[in-house]
Amino acid sequence: MKKLFAVIGDPIKHSMSPAMHNDLFSFYQIDANYLSFQVKNENLQDAAKGLRAIGAGGFNVTVPHKTAIIPFLDEVDELAASIGAVNTVVNENGKLKGFNTDGLGFLKGLQAYMPSTAGKRILIIGAGGASRAIYFTLAKEEPETIDIANRTVEKAQSLINECPYPVSSSALTLAEAETMLGEYDLVVQTTLIGMEPKISEQPLDLNKIKQQSHVCDIIYNPLKTKFLREAEARGANVQNGIDMFVYQGALAFEKWTGIFPEIKRMRENVLKQLGGTSC
Ligand code: ATR
C-alpha cells in the first residue's frame, strides 16, 4: 500500500519539499507519495491526529507550526526539545516522534566546506528560529566562541541564556558585530534580509570581513544575496542556503526510510525548481 508523507505549514504553496522527496521516492523505488497541506493554526492538532490516524509514514512541519506542533506529538528528541522546534515527524506504529533536522542540516552542509567547527570563532547574525537551531547545533561542536548579533540585542542574549550546551558567547549589536568581523572564521546570516522584498539590503556592512573566512547565508532565493556577493568580493568563501535545505530534507528522508539519499540529485532537483543552475 502506498505510504503518505507530507509537509504542513501556512503558507505552503511554494514549498520545494514535495518535488524533492517525490523524486527520491521514485529514484529509490519506494511506493510513497509526499504532499503539501496548508494547515491553519487552529487545525494543527486535528492535522496531526489525522496524519497519525491514516497511517502517514511521517511529515515535515514548517512555518508557522514548528513550535506549536510539539504538544501534539508523543515524543520529541533531545536536540529538538532544546531548540523548541520540530521540523520532522516520524510515525512509528501510531506514535508521532519529533526531530529537528534544520540545525544538523546546516552543519552537514557546512562540513563540505569546513570539515570541523571545533576551535573556530563563529558569528551568527539574527536571533529567530533558524538562528536558534543553528546556534544550539554548533554549540555542541566545541567551537572557541559563537557570538550572536541581532537588531534586538536582548533576543540574542536570551538565546545565549537558553542554550543548554556550554559555549563561550556574547550578544552583540549589529554595529558591534561590524567592527569585530575580522575576528571570525565563520559568519552565518540567518535573517530574512536579502530575500524578497529586501533583496537590495544586507544586515550589516562587511568592510572588516576576514579574507578566506567562510560566510553562509541561509537564504537560497535569490541564490546569491547581496550579503554573499559582497562577502565574496571581499575575499571570503561563500555558501548559500541550498545545502541546509537539502540536508534537512535528506536527514528527514533517512529517518523515514533508513536511506541517506544522494545529495547531488537533491541539489539538482532544488536548483531546477528555483530555475537556477549554479552558485
Ligand atoms: P526565523 O524564525 O525564520 O529565523 P524570525 O523568528 O522572524 O525568523 O527572526 C527574524 C530575524 O531577522 C530576527 O533576528 C530579526 O531581528 P529582531 O529579533 O530584532 O526582530 C531579524 N530581522 C528581521 N528584519 C530585520 C531588519 N530589518 N533589520 C535587522 N534584523 C532584522
Side-chain angles (χ1 to χ4, degrees):
M1 197 177 55
K2 215 181 226 344
K3 269 269 175 220
L4 176 73
F5 292 85
V7 56
I8 58 175
D10 184 22
I12 202 65
K13 207 166 63 197
H14 299 295
S15 172
M16 294 190 293
S17 294
M20 182 172 80
H21 285 289
N22 283 325
D23 174 64
L24 292 176
F25 286 136
S26 88
F27 183 67
Y28 291 105
Q29 299 183 347
I30 295 167
D31 192 17
N33 212 343
Y34 186 113
L35 298 174
S36 63
F37 295 101
Q38 184 180 14
V39 174
K40 296 274 169 217
N41 284 322
E42 61 269 29
N43 295 326
L44 187 59
Q45 182 168 18
D46 286 347
K49 278 188 178 169
L51 286 162
R52 182 199 280 114
I54 62 174
F59 55 96
N60 284 129
V61 183
T62 189
V63 177
H65 302 318
K66 290 185 187 186
T67 299
I69 192 74
I70 290 178
F72 309 135
L73 303 177
D74 301 297
E75 268 177 41
V76 175
D77 94 326
E78 185 208 306
L79 179 64
S82 70
I83 294 169
V86 161
N87 78 323
T88 300
V89 176
V90 179
N91 183 3
E92 246 180 58
N93 306 316
K95 267 201 160 172
L96 299 183
K97 297 189 174 176
F99 300 88
N100 188 307
T101 68
D102 287 327
L104 282 173
F106 174 80
L107 181 63
K108 285 231 167 219
L110 176 68
Q111 281 166 346
Y113 298 81
M114 185 177 273
S116 167
T117 40
K120 300 286 190 208
R121 298 186 58 85
I122 302 171
L123 173 70
I124 298 177
I125 303 166
S131 166
R132 191 178 175 92
I134 292 170
Y135 175 50
F136 286 13
T137 306
L138 291 179
K140 295 173 84 169
E141 300 297 308
E142 299 179 347
E144 184 181 318
T145 188
I146 309 179
D147 293 343
I148 304 178
N150 198 43
R151 175 177 62 179
T152 315
V153 76
E154 295 78 14
K155 278 205 216 162
Q157 189 58 55
S158 301
L159 253 192
I160 291 169
N161 296 346
E162 288 161 23
C163 183
Y165 310 109
V167 60
S168 145
S169 290
S170 300
L172 307 173
T173 63
L174 295 171
E176 283 167 342
E178 275 180 3
T179 65
M180 291 172 63
L181 267 183
E183 297 181 18
Y184 299 104
D185 308 302
L186 171 64
V187 176
V188 188
Q189 197 303 108
T190 71
T191 77
L192 304 178
I193 303 168
M195 238 163 102
E196 283 287 356
K198 293 185 175 158
I199 52 167
S200 58
E201 294 175 34
Q202 61 187 71
L204 49 81
D205 194 280
L206 289 166
N207 257 327
K208 299 218 163 92
I209 194 88
K210 191 159 105 181
Q211 292 270 323
Q212 299 304 316
S213 60
H214 190 69
V215 178
C216 300
D217 198 320
I218 67 162
I219 294 171
Y220 48 77
N221 192 9
L223 285 172
K224 218 176 253 177
T225 56
K226 182 164 186 271
F227 187 74
L228 285 192
R229 281 187 272 124
E230 192 177 324
E232 195 170 41
R234 294 182 187 282
N237 302 314
V238 301
Q239 181 177 13
N240 67 18
I242 290 206
D243 291 312
M244 177 176 176
F245 177 72
V246 162
Y247 275 98
Q248 66 73 31
L251 291 165
F253 189 84
E254 185 183 32
K255 290 206 178 294
W256 296 327
T257 65
I259 298 168
F260 190 82
E262 266 190 36
I263 292 299
K264 188 164 169 277
R265 185 176 182 89
M266 297 177 77
R267 250 180 154 269
E268 278 163 11
N269 181 286
V270 170
L271 280 170
K272 206 165 90 193
Q273 293 192 61
L274 287 168
T277 47
S278 67
C279 177

